[in-house]
Amino acid sequence: MKSNEYYISTPDAILQLFKINLSENKSFKDLVYPLVRSKNFLKIKREQMAINSNKSHILISSDNLIKFHNAVLLQGFFADTKRIKDIFISQEKRKESAEFLDLVVNGRQSILAIEVQSKELTTLITKLRSKEFDLCSEKLPNPFKELPQLSLNGITNVMQTLLAQSALLTQAESMMTHFFNNDLEKAYASSSLLTSNDPTLIAYQTHIKQQYNEAIEFDNLLDDLLN
């Protein structure tokens, strides 16, 4: 069977998927290309810009356009490229991310200047939780009125926005946000103040405290060995 695969430039892919001109949005461009270049994530090839030029265009396989679409949407929530990649390969990471979005983001009409469409977000969370949903071949719904990556103020995803308004977060939201931002110390501080009957939050509270105590024990062990 003949393949219909073709390759498309990154700007053309963004224009096709999101109707956004990448050349007019430098902040978005600076975020997109590290995602495209990330090792073993998208199927890409390089095309020399001109004869005797050391520069090249990065072209994305048409077979990966849906995967690219979903990665860009997830980048609107999470700053860490590794976490985005992990969501595609690990069911556990997908579940964790869905729980974070459900507990911290779902139900908010807006997060500072980021407008979130609740119906689309609820559907996105449901699809992330589903083991049957294929992130590489089925599109996630776009829950953003405008992609956070288009921001001109340096805060280009929901995670950064939540941290910027951390004083307004509940202890549960603060705990989850710091944990997903890989700040174990702040997550532990929030977990120590949290009182909840929610089984998911209790599970994260226990997990965070355990990770923190293990980290402290490891640091103490290193100090003993070095002194």
Side-chain angles (χ1 to χ4, degrees):
M1 187 174 179
K2 189 176 179 181
S3 172
N4 293 319
E5 180 187 28
Y6 59 92
Y7 283 81
I8 183 172
S9 72
T10 302
D12 286 345
I14 290 294
L15 186 63
Q16 178 178 314
L17 294 170
F18 297 102
K19 306 296 185 284
I20 295 169
N21 191 331
L22 203 57
S23 65
E24 297 175 359
N25 296 275
K26 186 180 184 303
S27 62
F28 192 13
K29 183 178 178 180
D30 290 344
L31 292 166
V32 163
Y33 274 99
L35 192 61
V36 174
R37 294 188 189 103
S38 186
K39 189 176 180 180
N40 298 326
F41 183 52
L42 296 174
K43 185 178 179 182
I44 63 171
K45 71 176 183 180
R46 297 177 184 272
E47 187 177 81
Q48 192 175 16
M49 286 186 177
I51 296 173
N52 298 325
S53 172
N54 292 325
K55 295 183 178 180
S56 60
H57 295 292
I58 300 177
L59 307 179
I60 303 169
S61 167
S62 58
D63 291 345
N64 272 199
L65 285 179
I66 290 178
K67 183 178 183 180
F68 183 45
H69 170 273
N70 291 342
V72 170
L73 289 184
L74 291 170
Q75 188 185 56
F77 291 107
F78 304 107
D80 186 7
T81 298
K82 183 180 183 303
R83 178 174 292 280
I84 296 167
K85 292 173 66 175
D86 285 345
I87 292 171
F88 281 84
I89 60 177
S90 167
Q91 192 63 40
E92 181 183 352
K93 292 299 181 183
R94 274 179 62 167
K95 180 173 176 288
E96 282 184 0
S97 299
E99 287 172 344
F100 171 80
L101 294 177
D102 197 16
L103 289 166
V104 181
V105 182
N106 204 11
R108 294 174 183 265
Q109 296 278 319
S110 65
I111 305 167
L112 287 182
I114 301 174
E115 292 187 63
V116 181
Q117 301 174 103
S118 58
K119 182 180 177 182
E120 285 78 3
L121 178 59
T122 299
T123 304
L124 182 147
I125 292 168
T126 300
K127 290 183 181 298
L128 280 180
R129 281 181 167 148
S130 171
K131 293 181 180 179
E132 285 72 41
F133 184 79
D134 186 354
L135 277 169
C136 295
S137 63
E138 301 175 70
K139 275 188 178 181
L140 289 170
N142 185 352
F144 301 113
K145 290 285 184 69
E146 181 180 86
L147 289 175
Q149 293 97 315
L150 297 175
S151 168
L152 298 175
N153 62 6
I155 297 178
T156 56
N157 58 71
V158 169
M159 181 70 71
Q160 289 177 335
T161 306
L162 289 168
L163 291 168
Q165 58 176 24
S166 59
L168 302 178
L169 300 179
T170 66
Q171 291 299 339
E173 292 168 344
S174 181
M175 178 185 76
M176 295 291 286
T177 301
H178 288 307
F179 179 67
F180 275 78
N181 194 47
N182 301 317
D183 193 330
L184 187 57
E185 188 170 349
K186 289 183 179 178
Y188 174 78
S190 296
S191 74
S192 299
L193 299 172
L194 176 65
T195 301
S196 175
N197 294 320
D198 185 299
T200 301
L201 287 174
I202 293 171
Y204 274 99
Q205 183 182 41
T206 302
H207 179 62
I208 289 166
K209 287 182 176 180
Q210 181 180 349
Q211 277 202 2
Y212 181 80
N213 289 329
E214 288 174 356
I216 293 296
E217 288 175 6
F218 181 72
D219 286 344
N220 290 337
L221 177 61
L222 281 180
D223 288 342
D224 291 341
L225 291 172
L226 295 172
N227 294 326

